[in-house]
Amino acid sequence: MSTPSPATAPRRGAATLEPLWVRGVLIAVALTFLTLFLFVPLVAVFAEAFKKGWQAYLAAIVDPDAISAIKLTVITAAIAVPLNLVFGVAASWCIAKFEFRGKSVLLTLIDLPFSVSPVISGLIYVLMFGAQGWFGPWLQAHDIKILFAVPGIVLATIFITFPFVARELIPLMQSQGNEEEEAAIVLGASGWNTFRRVTLPNIKWGLLYGVILCNARAMGEFGAVSVVSGHIRGETNTMPLQVEILYNEYNFAAAFAVASLLALLALLTLALKSLIEWRLHENGADDSALRSTEH
């Protein structure tokens, strides 16, 4: 077999050997975009939040309506995230480890919240549980409140956030294959022990990554929650809805004070995301080194 001559062989890394001015322009464009659309708005949030001083900021945070919004946001995330964790692990295990009819349909349904507007998602629950909805008369007859109450907010949040854990774990499990689980079962391990001792350690960082993204979206969700909450002040307003109400009332300092809490949550999520990506990269490098040693 003939080998390509040096003149005709493709240059390794030729795509990155651009002139210095080209790389400089690309870097400048990227930095300009990040500055205008990320850093400046973020700085503006905190600048407006502290514009009237620390006392005004703290007064906005400890306001009873703001405290209620913070509590409701935390409660909603505390319910939605664990449920999505269970669903994500079960769905990814099923899709990555087994072949069955309807697998592609299940994958499509998992991606559904990504393709449907959050407002439409909220309207679906209004259609189902509203006074004129499918289950509305029965719910009214039994004095059960779904819409304009915590259950409706939790249901809408679960629907919006359930793809995050599954979508992080499915490709990870598929890339790992089934060899280790099959070996454990052949050696006599039960299904639970196989999952706990083999599968879970292999997916723990991807699982945590999905949980962090799911929690961030659950706390920051606006559209679907806005439709089903009823905007009852002090009762069914989450933090994003509280920001909207304060802003519409021209109470800008308080609105930006509550928004700064969401911004801090976003920054914390970004830091944790970067940490987990680094750990995933380190684990991938260790696995590659181990495989090369074995060969």
Side-chain angles (χ1 to χ4, degrees), residues 250-270:
Y250 302 100
N251 191 353
F252 300 129
F256 281 103
V258 179
S260 69
L261 298 180
L262 291 173
L264 287 174
L265 172 65
L267 293 174
L268 177 61
T269 301
L270 181 62

Side-chain angles (χ1 to χ4, degrees), residues 63-73 232-238:
D63 180 78
D65 290 341
I67 294 294
S68 175
I70 294 171
K71 287 181 178 179
L72 180 58
T73 302
I232 303 174
R233 196 161 189 164
E235 295 184 20
T236 63
N237 278 339
T238 58

